[in-house]
Each structure stands twice: as structure tokens, then as C-alpha cells.
Amino acid sequence: MNTENHIRNKDRISDLPDALLLHILSFLNTKQAIHTCILSPRWKNLWKHIPTLTLISSQFTTVEIFTEFVSRILSIRDNSTEIHTLEFRRHKVMEPCLLETVLKYAVSHNVQRLDIGVTCVIQHFPTCLLSCRNLSYLDLYVSHPTVYGTTILFPSSLDMPVLTSLGLWHFAFSVGNDGRVDPFSKLNSLKSLNIVYCEVADNQNLCISSTELVNLYIYMVHYAPKTYFGIELCAPNLCTFVFSGIPVEKLSWSKSNLSSIKRVSIDIIEFWKSSQTSLVLFDWLSELANMESLIISSTALQVLSLVPNLLFELPSLCNLKSLRVEKKQISSIPDGIVDILIQKSPSPKMHVVINYNTLMPKAQNFGLKV
């Protein structure tokens, strides 16, 4: 009986190899992982070797306690252990020096994935990231604490050779030495790009040129003339295009650049309804005529209906197999417009879904992160 009790009470988890335990701990946030040090001497220093850091200020009562915690963790963590993933979030106002400290530490430890969401005063893209050659994933949300709409200057050209996923919030793109706004041209491995609340200097076109880009999400709102910009899209392998906001007049200077796009999601902001927007959206659907899947909001359909008989001139959507209409609470679906879209698709396997009282799906519906 004693032998059976001994087997029953044996700590089998602690007998697992370090690599497996560290993998398990990597699913916890850093505060939770540290609490495991009280389990037994076996666990006392294990957390110091975890290759992930998840630092979330909402788990602390004051910003001072959070700042002290972060500084302490960076100082006593095993310095020889590289960082695979760092998630850092502080949405109440914080000092920019803390952000700089965290980013420098991550870069010096060969970080591969960075997910940053903070509110602080910085005017330029963090320079320490420019030397981060191992970064494969970057989601950077930096909100200004005092002036709504304030943006941060993005480098005219970013050189990160292995970066595959990039998300940018509240950034301003400037003109490069060649006179063009083409900040992503050197990101030769980029496959997913999310641009949210960004602007372009001098009302120029934002060039998105990438031979590897597969997924593109853009949320565009023009609150002032300086925030307006066009898009010059050159991405021959682009498959998924998700757009929410106010459409620009032209997506691409060549329709062949858009022929690879198969999945499209479009939402138009409610207050931006005009016949001009209707014509722009019609041009978009014409340019994206090869798509196989379309998610469109009821607001966008209302915009299309502002010009009578416009949809009857739309080229046949010969490849369209799936149509989903997202009906927002504040707008209705114009009569007959769904039937017109279906008629433009000769596919016998057309699948139509109308979701009522829902918001437009975000990029996550297509496997993108925003």
C-alpha cells in the first residue's frame, strides 16, 4: 500500500526534461511563469530560461509596479537564453525609456517575434529595431497619449531580411531618396502586411511592392487632408485583400497586378457615402474580377447603389464561388443588389450567406492578425 501511495503522490511533471517544461511554461505569461518557482527546488530558476516574455500591464495595480517588475525581470533573467517571442502591452501612458529598454533587450537577445502595444510619446520608429536581422514577426502599435491621430515617422526603407509578417498602427510614411513612398520594397520575405490608422506625407501614393506578399489588410480613415493617400499596389502573388475604411481611387496601375487575388473583404465607413465613392468601389470590383470569395458589408452595398444601374455594367465575376454580406445594425441591404452580384457569377456552386446584426469581420477571418 505504501508503494502505491508513493507512486500516486510522485511528482511526475517535475521529472520531465527541461526542454519540455520550458515549452509548457512558454504558454503562460511571465508573471504566471514566475509563480511556478515556489513549487519545488526543481522549479526555482526554471522560468529564467523561458524563450518567451509576455509582459502585460493590466495584471498590475499601478504603472510603477509594472515598470519595476519589467526592469527586475530583464536584470535577473538568464542572459544566455535567447528570446523567441516578446509580447509587451501597456495601453495607459508610460515613459518611452521603458519601451526603449525592453526593445533593446529583445534585439540583443535575437528576438524573432515582437508584439508591442503601448501608449507613449515617440516620434520615430524605434532605431534599435533597424538592426534586428532575426525578426520574422512584428506587430507595432504605438499610440500618442495626448493628440488623437498623431502618427510616428516610419523609415523610408526598412531592411529586415527574414520578416514575414508586419503590422503597423499610427505610422506616417515619408518619401524616400528616389522620390517614392515605398517603405516595404526591401522586405523580400514579407507575406502578410497590416496597415491601420496610417498616413502618407504630401498626399502621395503609398507603394506596396512585394513579390512575396500574400495577405494585405488596410484600415484607412481620412480625418484631414494630410491623411489622404492613394495606393500603388504591385504584389503579383497577393491572394487575400481585406479593406475597411474609405476607398482610394486606384489600387494598381496594372490590372495584372491584381489577378492573383482570390479572397476579398470590403467595408466602407458609414459616413462616407457619395456617388464618387460608388464609382471608386465599382472600379475596385472590376479590378478584382478574378476573386473567388467576397465578403462585403451592407454599407458598401449601399454605396454601390447610389449610382443607378452601375452594377449592371460590372464585368462578369466568373470565378466567384462564395458571397457573404455582413449587415450592420446601422445600414440595410439595398433591394435586389445581392441578386445582381450573383447573376454576375455563372458558378453553379455559388454559396451566399447574409449575416444580420453583425459587424464586418476583421482580418482574422482570413487568417491575418491585426
Side-chain angles (χ1 to χ4, degrees):
M1 183 64 68
N2 290 335
T3 302
E4 291 180 1
N5 289 336
H6 174 73
I7 295 175
R8 187 181 300 112
N9 296 327
K10 186 178 180 181
D11 183 2
R12 296 185 178 182
I13 294 182
S14 294
D15 288 338
L16 295 174
D18 284 0
L20 185 54
L21 291 178
L22 291 173
H23 178 71
I24 294 173
L25 290 178
S26 67
F27 290 97
L28 304 177
N29 64 59
T30 301
K31 185 178 181 181
Q32 292 171 332
I34 291 175
H35 287 165
T36 63
C37 70
I38 65 174
L39 296 177
S40 71
R42 169 81 165 86
W43 295 79
K44 183 177 181 180
N45 294 307
L46 199 59
W47 69 269
K48 297 180 181 180
H49 302 272
I50 302 174
T52 62
L53 281 178
T54 305
L55 306 169
I56 311 295
S57 65
S58 60
Q59 300 167 347
F60 299 84
T61 55
T62 67
V63 65
E64 290 80 14
I65 295 175
F66 175 66
T67 301
E68 182 180 354
F69 175 81
V70 171
S71 301
R72 180 66 173 161
I73 292 304
L74 299 186
S75 64
I76 64 177
R77 181 179 177 273
D78 179 66
N79 204 43
S80 65
T81 301
E82 293 188 347
I83 295 179
H84 179 273
T85 302
L86 168 64
E87 181 181 356
F88 181 78
R89 302 204 174 277
R90 173 64 188 177
H91 290 300
K92 292 186 178 180
V93 182
M94 59 172 281
E95 293 296 326
C97 59
L98 178 60
L99 175 62
E100 183 179 4
T101 298
V102 170
L103 291 179
K104 283 185 175 180
Y105 182 88
V107 172
S108 67
H109 288 74
N110 299 318
V111 65
Q112 298 177 38
R113 295 176 60 89
L114 268 177
D115 189 351
I116 306 295
V118 296
T119 300
C120 66
V121 181
I122 65 171
Q123 297 180 345
H124 297 276
F125 186 84
T127 55
C128 61
L129 293 181
L130 299 178
S131 60
C132 195
R133 310 288 291 179
N134 298 316
L135 203 59
S136 63
Y137 175 98
L138 174 61
D139 194 78
L140 194 56
Y141 175 105
V142 183
S143 178
H144 198 284
T146 56
V147 182
Y148 180 77
T150 298
T151 53
I152 301 158
L153 189 63
F154 192 80
S156 57
S157 181
L158 190 63
D159 187 9
M160 293 181 175
V162 299
L163 191 70
T164 59
S165 180
L166 175 63
L168 298 172
W169 304 64
H170 302 288
F171 281 88
F173 304 110
S174 58
V175 180
N177 295 329
D178 58 357
R180 291 162 53 86
V181 183
D182 194 1
F184 314 115
S185 59
K186 291 186 177 180
L187 301 179
N188 297 323
S189 301
L190 190 64
K191 294 186 179 299
S192 294
L193 175 62
N194 303 328
I195 301 173
V196 184
Y197 295 124
C198 291
E199 64 185 51
V200 176
D202 303 323
N203 291 348
Q204 296 205 31
N205 288 334
L206 173 63
C207 303
I208 302 177
S209 54
S210 173
T211 58
E212 298 297 320
L213 191 65
V214 176
N215 304 312
L216 175 62
Y217 172 86
I218 298 177
Y219 185 81
M220 181 186 296
V221 181
H222 315 313
Y223 291 111
K226 72 173 184 175
T227 66
Y228 178 83
F229 61 89
I231 300 173
E232 186 177 331
L233 185 59
C234 182
N237 291 309
L238 190 64
C239 180
T240 299
F241 176 61
V242 180
F243 182 91
S244 182
I246 304 166
V248 296
E249 291 188 4
K250 202 169 191 65
L251 283 178
S252 172
W253 299 117
S254 171
K255 289 186 178 181
S256 62
N257 287 333
L258 305 178
S259 60
S260 63
I261 299 178
K262 304 303 179 185
R263 298 183 294 178
V264 177
S265 177
I266 299 175
D267 182 27
I268 306 299
I269 295 177
E270 175 70 23
F271 64 79
W272 205 267
K273 294 179 181 178
S274 69
S275 57
Q276 179 61 34
T277 306
S278 180
L279 293 172
V280 170
L281 191 52
F282 172 81
D283 288 340
W284 276 28
L285 293 177
S286 299
E287 290 184 275
L288 299 167
N290 285 334
M291 60 185 167
E292 298 177 358
S293 172
L294 173 62
I295 301 175
I296 191 166
S297 70
S298 53
T299 308
L301 292 179
Q302 283 190 342
V303 169
L304 277 173
S305 68
L306 293 178
V307 178
N309 300 322
L310 182 63
L311 277 177
F312 288 105
E313 302 177 15
L314 188 70
S316 177
L317 305 177
C318 57
N319 296 321
L320 191 64
K321 300 176 182 178
S322 173
L323 172 64
R324 190 166 93 205
V325 178
E326 295 288 342
K327 184 185 179 301
K328 293 186 173 182
Q329 294 178 349
I330 56 177
S331 62
S332 59
I333 301 173
D335 292 338
I337 198 167
V338 173
D339 292 333
I340 295 174
L341 285 174
I342 293 175
Q343 290 172 6
K344 288 295 180 178
S345 169
S347 174
K349 297 182 180 179
M350 170 63 68
H351 181 62
V352 180
V353 175
I354 299 179
N355 291 338
Y356 291 92
N357 299 321
T358 61
L359 295 177
M360 189 64 183
K362 294 186 178 180
Q364 289 93 329
N365 290 76
F366 282 149
L368 305 179
K369 183 179 184 301
V370 176

